[in-house]
């Protein structure tokens, strides 16, 4: 989580002296942040974006971040190109350990053997210094929850004239516009 550009919803938390019960963090994106999130994730708009997190100590020097990110977004239907409303409600969960810890020094490729469960939690991330950007971390879960090919309910891809779909011929309003432009030139 280091050497990355700042997230539009960046919120750095000092994890050097976390309370034993953890520190609650709430992030509510303002209009500029929502506009930046929409541009970053290829959305028409982000109407609301809210993260409610708990940052707490984990094991000896680690940090656990958990909570939920919720948002209302507008996307473009991949078939009709019409605006489409969608709701994001995604659980946020992750573990962090300092780069200079034993696990951080060994990494995942050296002599340390780590068994990962595909359906289990993600592997821990490392951090340096005393801060973790929990806003950027919550944005990662937001981005993963966005439907990559949104389609309005009940809308299907158009079929070809012979009744079946021709996989070699792209269809839809966008391709029709491109075809018309090509015919004009």
């Amino acid at each position: 989580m280091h050497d990355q550009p700042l997230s539009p919803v960046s919120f750095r938390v000092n994890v050097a002296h976390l309370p034993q019960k953890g520190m609650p963090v709430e992030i509510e994106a303002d209009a500029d942040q929502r506009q930046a999130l929409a541009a970053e994730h290829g959305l028409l708009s982000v109407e609301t974006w809210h993260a409610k997190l708990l940052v707490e100590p984990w094991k000896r020097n680690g940090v656990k971040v958990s909570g939920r990110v919720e948002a209302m977004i507008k996307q473009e239907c991949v078939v009709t190109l019409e605006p489409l409303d969608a709701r994001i409600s995604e659980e946020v969960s992750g573990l962090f350990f300092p780069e200079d810890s034993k696990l951080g020094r060994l990494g995942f490729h050296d002599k340390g053997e780590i068994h990962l469960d595909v359906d289990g939690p993600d592997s821990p991330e490392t951090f340096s210094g005393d801060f973790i950007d929990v806003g950027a971390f919550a944005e990662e879960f937001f981005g993963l929850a966005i439907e990559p090919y949104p389609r309005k309910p009940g809308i299907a891809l158009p079929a070809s004239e012979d009744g079946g779909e021709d996989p070699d011929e792209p269809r839809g309003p966008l391709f029709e516009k491109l075809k018309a432009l090509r015919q004009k030139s």
Side-chain angles (χ1 to χ4, degrees):
M1 285 203 47
H2 44 284
D3 298 333
Q4 294 178 349
L6 279 179
S7 163
V9 288
S10 182
F11 191 96
R12 293 173 35 111
V13 172
N14 186 335
V15 295
H17 303 289
L18 285 174
Q20 194 60 36
K21 290 183 179 181
M23 184 173 92
V25 173
E26 287 200 45
I27 307 166
E28 187 78 37
D30 64 24
D32 291 339
Q33 290 170 315
R34 292 191 313 267
Q35 186 176 4
L37 283 167
E40 180 93 14
H41 294 280
L43 302 169
L44 296 176
S45 69
V46 175
E47 303 298 316
T48 64
W49 193 97
H50 180 258
K52 187 174 184 176
L53 309 169
L54 179 63
V55 183
E56 56 190 328
W58 175 68
K59 300 212 181 234
R60 187 171 169 194
N61 295 319
V63 176
K64 179 180 179 183
V65 178
S66 59
R68 181 163 293 282
V69 62
E70 296 190 351
M72 290 298 297
I73 62 174
K74 279 197 188 302
Q75 297 178 273
E76 193 173 71
C77 175
V78 295
V79 178
T80 65
L81 302 180
E82 295 176 47
L84 175 63
D85 292 328
R87 181 176 184 270
I88 303 287
S89 181
E90 191 71 16
E91 183 179 334
V92 174
S93 179
L95 301 173
F96 298 82
F97 58 87
E99 278 182 333
D100 60 354
S101 71
K102 183 178 178 183
L103 190 53
R105 284 191 309 271
L106 290 176
F108 295 107
H109 307 292
D110 213 13
K111 294 178 184 175
E113 188 173 316
I114 297 175
H115 298 280
L116 299 176
D117 179 6
V118 174
D119 296 322
D122 291 340
S123 59
E125 296 189 39
T126 60
F127 67 94
S128 59
D130 293 336
F131 291 88
I132 293 176
D133 189 344
V134 297
F137 186 63
E139 183 191 351
E140 289 178 21
F141 284 84
F142 165 75
L144 290 171
I146 296 171
E147 173 62 47
Y149 303 105
R151 204 183 292 182
K152 282 194 143 188
I155 299 294
L157 291 173
S160 64
E161 286 89 36
D162 63 3
E165 289 189 15
D166 182 0
D168 295 330
E169 186 175 333
R171 300 201 173 271
L174 179 61
F175 292 109
E176 296 301 323
K177 289 178 187 176
L178 292 173
K179 193 176 189 180
L181 286 173
R182 189 174 6 154
Q183 290 172 350
K184 286 181 182 179
S185 55

